[in-house]
Short mmCIF file of all heavy atoms in Angstrom, two decimals:
data_model
loop_
_atom_site.label_atom_id
_atom_site.label_comp_id
_atom_site.label_asym_id
_atom_site.label_seq_id
_atom_site.Cartn_x
_atom_site.Cartn_y
_atom_site.Cartn_z
N LEU A 455 18.47 -12.21 39.31
CA LEU A 455 17.38 -11.25 39.37
C LEU A 455 16.38 -11.46 38.25
O LEU A 455 16.76 -11.74 37.10
CB LEU A 455 17.93 -9.82 39.31
CG LEU A 455 18.88 -9.39 40.42
CD1 LEU A 455 19.41 -7.99 40.14
CD2 LEU A 455 18.18 -9.44 41.78
N ALA A 456 15.11 -11.30 38.58
CA ALA A 456 14.05 -11.27 37.59
C ALA A 456 13.92 -9.85 37.05
O ALA A 456 14.36 -8.89 37.69
CB ALA A 456 12.74 -11.73 38.22
N PRO A 457 13.31 -9.66 35.87
CA PRO A 457 13.21 -8.32 35.28
C PRO A 457 12.62 -7.27 36.21
O PRO A 457 13.02 -6.10 36.17
CB PRO A 457 12.33 -8.54 34.05
CG PRO A 457 12.60 -9.96 33.65
CD PRO A 457 12.79 -10.69 34.94
N ALA A 458 11.67 -7.63 37.05
CA ALA A 458 11.05 -6.64 37.95
C ALA A 458 11.99 -6.18 39.04
O ALA A 458 11.69 -5.19 39.73
CB ALA A 458 9.78 -7.23 38.56
N GLN A 459 13.13 -6.84 39.20
CA GLN A 459 14.05 -6.52 40.29
C GLN A 459 15.20 -5.62 39.88
O GLN A 459 16.05 -5.30 40.70
CB GLN A 459 14.60 -7.83 40.89
CG GLN A 459 13.53 -8.69 41.52
CD GLN A 459 14.09 -10.03 41.97
OE1 GLN A 459 14.44 -10.91 41.17
NE2 GLN A 459 14.19 -10.19 43.28
N TYR A 460 15.24 -5.22 38.62
CA TYR A 460 16.28 -4.29 38.17
C TYR A 460 15.70 -3.38 37.11
O TYR A 460 14.62 -3.63 36.57
CB TYR A 460 17.50 -5.05 37.64
CG TYR A 460 17.21 -6.00 36.51
CD1 TYR A 460 17.20 -5.59 35.17
CD2 TYR A 460 16.96 -7.35 36.77
CE1 TYR A 460 16.94 -6.46 34.14
CE2 TYR A 460 16.69 -8.24 35.73
CZ TYR A 460 16.68 -7.80 34.43
OH TYR A 460 16.41 -8.66 33.40
N ARG A 461 16.42 -2.31 36.83
CA ARG A 461 15.96 -1.34 35.84
C ARG A 461 17.02 -1.18 34.76
O ARG A 461 18.23 -1.25 35.03
CB ARG A 461 15.67 0.02 36.48
CG ARG A 461 14.58 -0.01 37.55
CD ARG A 461 13.23 -0.36 36.93
NE ARG A 461 12.16 -0.39 37.93
CZ ARG A 461 11.77 -1.48 38.58
NH1 ARG A 461 12.39 -2.64 38.34
NH2 ARG A 461 10.78 -1.43 39.44
N VAL A 462 16.54 -0.96 33.53
CA VAL A 462 17.44 -0.80 32.39
C VAL A 462 17.15 0.51 31.70
O VAL A 462 16.12 1.15 31.93
CB VAL A 462 17.29 -1.96 31.38
CG1 VAL A 462 17.47 -3.31 32.07
CG2 VAL A 462 15.95 -1.90 30.67
N ALA A 463 18.06 0.93 30.84
CA ALA A 463 17.83 2.02 29.90
C ALA A 463 18.44 1.59 28.57
O ALA A 463 19.30 0.70 28.53
CB ALA A 463 18.44 3.32 30.39
N CYS A 464 17.99 2.22 27.50
CA CYS A 464 18.35 1.76 26.15
C CYS A 464 19.10 2.84 25.40
O CYS A 464 18.75 4.02 25.48
CB CYS A 464 17.09 1.38 25.37
SG CYS A 464 16.09 0.11 26.18
N LEU A 465 20.08 2.42 24.64
CA LEU A 465 20.84 3.33 23.77
C LEU A 465 20.79 2.78 22.35
O LEU A 465 21.17 1.64 22.10
CB LEU A 465 22.30 3.43 24.24
CG LEU A 465 23.22 4.31 23.38
CD1 LEU A 465 22.78 5.77 23.45
CD2 LEU A 465 24.68 4.17 23.82
N GLY A 466 20.30 3.60 21.42
CA GLY A 466 20.26 3.19 20.02
C GLY A 466 19.07 2.33 19.66
O GLY A 466 18.99 1.85 18.53
N LEU A 467 18.16 2.12 20.59
CA LEU A 467 16.91 1.43 20.30
C LEU A 467 15.83 2.01 21.20
O LEU A 467 16.11 2.44 22.32
CB LEU A 467 17.02 -0.08 20.52
CG LEU A 467 17.07 -0.63 21.94
CD1 LEU A 467 16.59 -2.07 21.96
CD2 LEU A 467 18.48 -0.55 22.51
N PRO A 468 14.59 2.07 20.73
CA PRO A 468 13.52 2.63 21.54
C PRO A 468 13.26 1.78 22.78
O PRO A 468 13.25 0.54 22.71
CB PRO A 468 12.31 2.61 20.60
CG PRO A 468 12.88 2.56 19.23
CD PRO A 468 14.14 1.75 19.37
N PRO A 469 13.03 2.39 23.93
CA PRO A 469 12.70 1.63 25.14
C PRO A 469 11.45 0.77 24.96
O PRO A 469 11.28 -0.22 25.67
CB PRO A 469 12.47 2.72 26.19
CG PRO A 469 13.22 3.91 25.68
CD PRO A 469 13.16 3.83 24.20
#
Side-chain angles (χ1 to χ4, degrees):
L455 299 175
Q459 297 175 289
Y460 57 87
R461 299 294 180 268
V462 306
C464 303
L465 178 66
L467 74 156

